[in-house]
């Protein structure tokens, strides 16, 4: 009859299996960057420089491994997977490598290099020295060490760089920058809800919340924070009265939150001195170091009892010393491990399915690396890319705006602004949808709307008297002046200089918006499972073909608009530039005084029209007019003589002539502006936007077909592709084995834990 296994043995076996499984899970999650790392409970040590973080971590481990002392000694987080092994008289350390390293692998498939403790110390010190001379100063990438030792607890501890309290002032900007970097790094390490935060405070007054200030930004109620007062041996002599010690041992609830993990702080001291064989070393072995830690704990209890004048209760003693802290953390972490097991199993199942799916895709891709199938893939990518491109122009909401959208401010920075000679720029608040993050057709429409608003609000530039006189010049048959010609010369010159820059700005802006469609289209393909990331040459070729087509189409469209602007500013057609004669008459009436110039006379001179020749002939044939009639007809004749004297025979610029030129220039400029706006928008829509829809597909297909005729390698790098896919397949197969192994381990652990609960 078999001897029944006691429950304690089963529980111990389950715990051993649990620690081993979590170590493997932590290493796998670190390499894959997956969410599994968030579910693996760990103790993260947080404290300021010289608070004794690394010394406390070493005391918890039972041996020394790091460089401790003043200043910043830890510049990379050190993740220690500690495992109790009574058979290891000396620490057995393995340095876990990053994914992709070609080091030896353990049975779980984790890259691990066995290292003597001295080499581990040298490696950490070398990394700290390297980062000290690096511009970044700190790194978030963890140094992962797997340790088995007879004095180590079953814990996962992450030692972080010490927080910095820099002095204010510009001269301390470098230190202030380092302090911000460390602060961000530490907060990133403690943000996961499964993390246990070991918050170190080196103070004798609990109201000074130096480290808690940072921790409470992530854990406001301290519900997952264990508070530790370090360097207890230096604080005890500072207390003069027993009441001060009582307050220190039992902080009031107004100072510390009642929801603090563990209910009250822990108090620790670590003996100073290093382990080694040199004359500077205080301890000759880790055994001596371990004994010194225990001795220090007993001395601290005796000193406190001496100060209080009474013996400490069992509960108070349980809060003093590294040993009690280690026991508490080990029990707490074990509880968290057990609670997390049911959550990890579904996560591993999902990861197993995803990895299996990826492996099947790569195997299928490897089997299709022949000419016919590759051509078929190229056609599929071509059609899919054009489909996504068309959907983006028509409008869709699948692509996240926070990632691909642009506000008007960002669009102006990256794609240029609409500014003329006076640097006028439309305020964002006046532009509809200016603050929205748009892409595709919506962004194209907003840019065109901004162009209309900016150009439509432009007024005719100022006209100087010198410009008017210089524009008069000399006629080829007489030395008189023609102010209608003068106005045309000034108006077309002003219009050309004003509107031509906007033409180039619009082309550049719209081309930028169209080019932005490429990464969004690729994202949509990947999102829908139509990704071609392994066919980089094909993707790059299609993208380059699209860019070339868009650039050439924009240049051709802009040239068409330029020709139209040149024709509009080369020859003035009154019906085009002034709409009709009534509009011109309205403008002239508003600028020219009636007593100086009659409307009929203006029409005769500037419109080139004869107002009723028959009436004029009839008036000439009548010889028996009364003297009153002759007297009244003399008034227009006098005004006509005055007009000719001021506008034709005399080059002195009188106010009436100046106002006349201003009126004509403004009217012509306005006509050119309206024509420019309408034709430019129409041409860009017809000759830039529409070719993307109806001409681009044929061009891309022709480009692919010509490439197939030349050489298949111009689209697919088959050799490189086969090698990269083979490497990915091997990596996924190793990953799949590790996930399967972990899934089986956690399943077995879950069964054992459930059976123990039933037996209990």
């Amino acid at each position: 009859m078999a001897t029944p296994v006691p429950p304690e043995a089963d529980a111990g076996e389950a715990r051993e299996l649990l620690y081993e499984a979590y170590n493997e899970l932590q290493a796998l999650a670190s390499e894959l960057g997956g969410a599994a790392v968030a579910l693996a409970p760990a103790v993260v040590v947080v404290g300021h420089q010289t608070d004794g973080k690394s010394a406390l971590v070493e005391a918890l481990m039972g041996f020394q491994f790091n460089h401790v002392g003043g200043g910043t000694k830890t510049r990379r987080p050190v993740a220690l997977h500690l495992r109790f092994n009574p058979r290891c008289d000396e620490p057995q350390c393995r340095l876990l490598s990053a994914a992709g390293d070609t080091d030896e692998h353990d049975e779980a498939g984790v890259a691990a290099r066995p290292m003597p403790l001295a080499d581990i110390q040298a490696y950490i010190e070398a990394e700290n020295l390297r980062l000290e001379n690096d511009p970044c100063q700190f790194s978030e990438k963890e140094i992962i060490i797997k340790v088995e030792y007879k004095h180590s607890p079953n814990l996962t501890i992450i030692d972080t760089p010490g927080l910095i309290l820099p002095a204010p002032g510009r001269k301390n900007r470098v230190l202030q920058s380092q302090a911000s970097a460390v602060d961000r790094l530490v907060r990133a390490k403690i943000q996961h809800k499964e993390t246990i935060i070991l918050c170190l405070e080196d103070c004798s007054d609990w109201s000074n919340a130096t480290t808690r200030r940072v921790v409470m930004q992530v854990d406001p109620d301290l519900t997952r924070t264990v508070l530790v007062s370090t360097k207890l041996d230096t604080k005890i002599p500072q207390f003069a009265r027993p009441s001060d010690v009582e307050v220190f041992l039992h902080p009031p609830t107004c100072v510390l939150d009642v929801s603090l993990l563990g209910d009250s702080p822990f108090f620790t001291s670590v003996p100073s001195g290093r382990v080694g064989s040199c004359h500077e070393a205080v301890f000759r072995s880790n055994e001596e170091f371990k004994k010194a830690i225990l001795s220090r704990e007993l001395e601290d209890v005796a000193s406190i009892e001496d100060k209080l004048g009474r013996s400490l209760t069992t509960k108070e003693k349980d809060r003093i010393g590294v040993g009690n802290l280690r026991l508490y953390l080990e029990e707490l972490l074990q509880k968290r491990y057990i609670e997390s097991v049911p959550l990890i199993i579904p996560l591993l199942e999902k990861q197993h399915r995803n990895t299996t799916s990826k492996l099947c895709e790569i195997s299928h891709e490897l089997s299709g690396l022949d000419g016919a199938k590759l051509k078929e893939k190229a056609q599929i990518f071509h059609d899919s890319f054009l489909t996504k491109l068309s959907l983006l122009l028509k409008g869709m909401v699948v692509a996240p705006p926070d990632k691909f959208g642009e506000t008007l401010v960002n669009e102006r920075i990256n794609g240029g602004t609409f500014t003329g000679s006076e640097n006028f720029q439309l305020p964002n608040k006046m532009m509809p949808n200016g603050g929205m993050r748009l892409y595709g057709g919506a962004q194209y429409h907003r840019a065109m709307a901004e162009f209309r608003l900016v150009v439509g609000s432009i007024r005719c530039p100022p006209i100087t008297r010198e410009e008017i006189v210089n524009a008069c010049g000399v006629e080829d048959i007489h030395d008189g002046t023609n102010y209608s010609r003068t106005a045309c010369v000034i108006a077309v010159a002003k219009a050309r200089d004003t509107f031509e820059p906007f033409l180039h700005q619009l082309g550049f802006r719209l081309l930028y918006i169209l080019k932005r469609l490429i990464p969004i289209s690729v994202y949509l393909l990947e999102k829908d499972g139509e990704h071609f990331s392994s066919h980089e040459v094909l993707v790059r070729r299609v993208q380059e073909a699209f860019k070339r087509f868009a650039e050439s189409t924009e240049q051709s469209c802009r040239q068409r608009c330029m020709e139209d602007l040149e024709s509009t500013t080369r020859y003035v057609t009154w019906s085009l530039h002034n709409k009709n004669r009534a509009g011109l008459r309205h403008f002239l009436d508003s600028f020219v005084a009636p007593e100086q110039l009659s409307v009929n006379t203006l029409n005769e001179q500037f419109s080139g029209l004869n107002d009723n020749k028959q009436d004029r002939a009839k008036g000439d044939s009548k010889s028996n007019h009364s003297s009153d009639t002759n007297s009244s007809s003399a008034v227009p004749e006098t005004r006509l003589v005055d007009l000719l004297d001021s506008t034709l025979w005399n080059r002195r610029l009188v106010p009436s002539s100046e106002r006349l030129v201003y009126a004509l220039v403004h009217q012509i400029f306005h006509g050119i502006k309206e024509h420019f706006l309408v034709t430019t928008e129409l041409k860009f829509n017809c000759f830039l936007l529409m070719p993307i829809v109806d001409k681009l597909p044929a061009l891309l297909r022709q480009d692919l077909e010509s490439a197939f005729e030349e050489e298949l390698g111009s689209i697919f790098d088959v050799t490189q592709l086969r090698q990269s896919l083979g490497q990915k397949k091997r990596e996924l197969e190793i990953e799949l084995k590790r996930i399967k192994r972990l899934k089986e381990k956690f399943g077995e652990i879950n069964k054992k834990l459930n059976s123990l609960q039933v037996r209990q």
Side-chain angles (χ1 to χ4, degrees):
M1 182 176 179
T3 304
V5 179
E8 294 80 7
D10 281 346
E13 184 183 350
R15 281 197 299 270
E16 286 295 316
L17 194 60
L18 184 64
Y19 299 141
E20 182 181 346
Y22 265 111
N23 286 341
E24 292 179 25
L25 177 66
Q26 193 83 5
L28 176 66
S30 179
E31 291 179 16
L32 301 181
V37 70
L39 289 174
V43 177
V44 179
V45 186
V46 181
H48 280 77
Q49 284 183 352
T50 71
D51 277 355
K53 282 189 309 80
S54 298
L56 179 60
V57 170
E58 289 180 338
L60 289 170
M61 294 169 59
F63 64 91
Q64 295 180 349
F65 77 102
N66 205 349
H67 186 194
V68 298
T72 301
K73 300 302 179 184
T74 305
R75 295 185 178 272
R76 274 181 67 181
V78 181
L80 298 153
H81 299 293
L82 308 176
R83 183 182 175 189
F84 169 72
N85 190 339
R87 297 182 297 275
C88 294
D89 293 329
E90 294 294 332
Q92 301 295 316
C93 303
R94 287 178 178 268
L95 182 67
L96 301 192
S97 305
D101 287 355
T102 56
D103 298 314
E104 67 171 272
H105 289 68
D106 63 11
E107 59 180 2
V110 182
R113 285 181 289 173
M115 268 193 177
L117 189 56
D119 291 351
I120 294 282
Q121 292 172 320
Y123 176 80
I124 294 174
E125 290 179 15
E127 279 296 289
N128 290 334
L129 182 61
R130 178 184 66 82
L131 288 170
E132 189 175 352
N133 299 319
D134 190 89
C136 296
Q137 294 283 310
F138 299 91
S139 172
E140 292 186 8
K141 188 177 180 181
E142 295 176 353
I143 299 174
I144 305 176
I145 304 171
K146 190 175 180 181
V147 181
E148 293 185 16
Y149 185 41
K150 66 179 182 180
H151 293 311
S152 288
N154 290 300
L155 287 176
T156 297
I157 302 177
I158 301 176
D159 187 16
T160 60
L163 298 166
I164 304 171
L165 282 176
R170 297 183 60 184
K171 64 180 180 180
N172 296 308
R173 282 182 298 181
V174 175
L175 199 59
Q176 291 165 3
S177 175
Q178 292 181 13
S180 299
V182 176
D183 191 271
R184 290 192 300 271
L185 189 153
V186 170
R187 280 192 279 118
K189 290 296 177 186
I190 63 176
Q191 66 179 346
H192 299 301
K193 300 300 182 183
E194 293 75 18
T195 301
I196 299 168
I197 305 169
L198 199 62
C199 176
L200 274 55
E201 296 279 16
D202 181 15
C203 62
S204 55
D205 185 358
W206 288 113
S207 60
N208 294 327
T210 52
T211 306
R212 273 175 291 151
R213 177 186 56 82
V214 178
V215 170
M216 292 179 73
Q217 294 176 13
V218 180
D219 183 24
D221 298 327
L222 301 177
T223 54
R224 53 189 181 91
T225 299
V226 178
L227 192 59
V228 180
S229 173
T230 58
K231 304 179 183 178
L232 177 62
D233 54 338
T234 64
K235 296 181 177 60
I236 296 173
Q238 299 176 18
F239 299 115
R241 295 174 298 180
S243 58
D244 296 334
V245 182
E246 292 284 0
V247 172
F248 182 61
L249 291 178
H250 307 284
T253 55
C254 62
V255 176
L256 288 181
D257 200 302
V258 292
S259 58
L260 176 71
L261 188 61
D263 298 330
S264 63
F266 283 82
F267 305 88
T268 63
S269 297
V270 178
S272 59
R274 307 302 295 166
V275 176
S277 57
C278 62
H279 69 279
E280 296 178 353
V282 176
F283 310 108
R284 294 303 170 186
S285 66
N286 287 310
E287 290 285 348
E288 289 188 20
F289 176 59
K290 179 73 175 173
K291 291 177 182 178
I293 293 173
L294 181 59
S295 176
R296 183 73 264 172
E297 181 178 322
L298 297 175
E299 291 174 8
D300 287 343
V301 171
S303 298
I304 292 176
E305 289 180 338
D306 183 58
K307 283 284 184 180
L308 289 173
R310 66 173 177 84
S311 298
L312 293 176
T313 64
T314 303
K315 186 176 180 180
E316 289 173 333
K317 287 181 180 180
D318 288 343
R319 296 293 164 174
I320 297 175
V322 174
N324 288 319
L325 174 62
R326 180 169 64 176
L327 182 61
Y328 175 79
L329 291 176
E330 193 170 3
E331 292 175 351
L332 179 62
L333 205 59
Q334 179 184 325
K335 182 181 177 183
R336 294 290 181 92
Y337 280 170
I338 294 172
E339 290 174 350
S340 299
V341 167
L343 301 175
I344 289 175
I345 293 174
L347 182 67
L348 290 172
E349 288 280 0
K350 180 181 178 182
Q351 189 70 27
H352 188 274
R353 289 194 302 270
N354 293 339
T355 306
T356 304
S357 176
K358 290 178 184 178
L359 192 59
C360 291
E361 289 177 5
I362 288 182
S363 300
H364 178 71
E365 204 164 349
L366 276 170
S367 64
L369 292 181
D370 61 83
K373 290 185 177 180
L374 288 175
K375 288 181 181 180
E376 183 182 350
K377 281 190 176 185
Q379 294 296 341
I380 292 173
F381 176 74
H382 163 271
D383 296 339
S384 301
F385 178 77
L386 291 174
T387 301
K388 301 304 181 187
L389 207 64
S390 176
L391 287 174
L392 285 171
L393 289 174
K394 292 178 181 178
M396 64 186 312
V397 294
V398 179
D402 57 342
K403 183 177 181 181
F404 295 106
E406 279 190 335
T407 62
L408 187 58
V409 173
N410 295 331
E411 184 182 322
R412 286 173 174 174
I413 293 172
N414 300 319
T417 58
F418 296 126
T419 54
S421 56
E422 298 180 357
N423 291 326
F424 169 78
Q425 188 170 326
L426 194 71
N428 292 339
K429 62 182 180 180
M430 294 180 60
M431 187 65 208
N433 303 329
M436 293 188 179
R437 291 171 292 193
L438 305 181
Y439 55 77
Q443 190 176 11
Y444 181 97
H445 183 271
R446 183 178 64 186
M448 193 63 78
E450 185 187 4
F451 172 77
R452 286 196 305 268
L453 286 174
V454 172
V455 176
S457 62
I458 291 177
R459 297 181 179 180
C460 181
I463 306 168
T464 63
R465 292 171 61 86
E466 287 83 358
E467 286 178 328
I468 297 175
V469 174
N470 281 317
C472 288
V474 177
E475 296 289 339
D476 57 353
I477 198 170
H478 67 91
D479 64 349
T481 56
N482 184 351
Y483 285 112
S484 62
R485 179 188 179 281
T486 299
C488 293
V489 169
I490 295 173
V492 296
K494 296 282 186 184
R496 176 70 178 267
D497 293 342
T498 300
F499 299 128
E500 184 176 351
F502 287 103
L503 199 57
H504 297 283
Q505 292 166 11
L506 179 63
F508 187 83
R509 174 80 77 86
L510 296 181
L511 182 61
Y512 163 75
I513 292 172
L514 291 176
K515 285 183 178 180
R516 290 191 66 243
L517 298 176
I518 297 176
I520 307 177
S521 300
V522 172
Y523 166 82
L524 294 175
L525 289 172
E526 294 178 352
K527 188 175 185 296
D528 293 343
E530 303 171 0
H531 53 84
F532 289 78
S533 55
S534 56
H535 303 288
E536 294 180 1
V537 180
L538 169 64
V539 175
R540 218 168 28 241
R541 181 164 187 128
V542 172
Q543 290 176 347
E544 291 301 322
F546 173 79
K547 287 181 182 178
R548 288 195 303 272
F549 178 78
E551 289 171 356
S552 61
T553 305
E554 185 274 332
Q555 186 177 2
S556 173
C557 176
R558 185 160 35 88
Q559 186 61 36
R560 289 173 182 262
C561 295
M562 197 60 163
E563 291 174 358
D564 193 75
L565 179 62
E566 288 177 355
S567 64
T568 312
T569 56
R570 183 174 177 84
Y571 188 82
V572 175
T573 304
W574 293 107
S575 61
L576 172 66
H577 294 77
N578 299 286
K579 304 302 178 187
N580 52 48
R581 193 169 61 188
L584 176 61
R585 178 179 303 194
H586 173 74
F587 251 80
L588 295 175
D589 283 345
S590 65
F591 279 92
V592 183
E595 66 271 16
Q596 293 179 342
L597 191 63
S598 68
V599 174
N600 290 335
T601 306
L602 289 173
N603 286 334
E604 288 180 5
Q605 178 161 351
F606 297 105
S607 305
L609 300 175
N610 289 325
D611 292 338
N612 201 337
K613 292 183 180 180
Q614 295 179 355
D615 291 344
R616 187 178 298 176
K618 183 187 289 186
D620 292 340
S621 65
K622 290 183 180 181
S623 59
N624 55 350
H625 283 302
S626 62
S627 58
D628 292 338
T629 304
N630 291 334
S631 176
S632 62
S633 63
V635 176
E637 292 175 1
T638 303
R639 290 179 178 173
L640 177 60
V641 172
D642 293 339
L643 173 67
L644 293 175
D645 180 58
S646 62
T647 62
L648 184 62
W649 301 331
N650 192 344
R651 282 184 173 267
R652 184 168 54 86
L653 194 60
V654 297
S656 60
S657 303
E658 188 176 352
R659 297 183 67 191
L660 176 63
V661 172
Y662 286 166
L664 287 173
V665 170
H666 280 78
Q667 183 71 355
I668 296 169
F669 184 89
H670 179 72
I672 294 175
K673 180 178 70 174
E674 289 190 349
H675 182 74
F676 172 75
L677 269 175
V678 173
T679 57
T680 299
E681 182 175 2
L682 183 62
K683 281 183 168 59
F684 269 96
N685 287 336
C686 291
F687 300 113
L688 176 62
L689 184 61
M690 286 299 101
I692 300 294
V693 177
D694 50 30
K695 291 184 179 180
L696 179 63
L699 183 137
L700 288 182
R701 187 172 289 107
Q702 182 182 359
D703 181 74
L704 288 177
E705 289 175 355
S706 62
F708 285 137
E709 292 176 0
E710 295 171 5
E711 186 184 0
L712 191 64
S714 61
I715 295 183
F716 297 99
D717 189 348
V718 180
T719 304
Q720 177 64 31
L721 186 59
R722 197 182 299 276
Q723 290 177 354
S724 63
L725 288 176
Q727 178 64 26
K728 286 182 180 178
K729 183 180 179 182
R730 288 189 292 272
E731 291 174 357
L732 285 173
E733 286 173 346
I734 294 173
E735 180 184 327
L736 192 63
K737 288 180 181 178
R738 294 174 65 183
I739 294 172
K740 184 179 179 181
R741 176 187 174 87
L742 278 173
K743 190 175 68 167
E744 292 173 353
K745 272 195 173 184
F746 276 100
E748 184 180 347
I749 292 167
N750 196 38
K751 288 180 182 178
K752 286 192 175 184
L753 292 175
N754 290 336
S755 65
L756 285 173
Q757 289 178 358
V758 171
R759 290 167 64 182
Q760 291 173 357

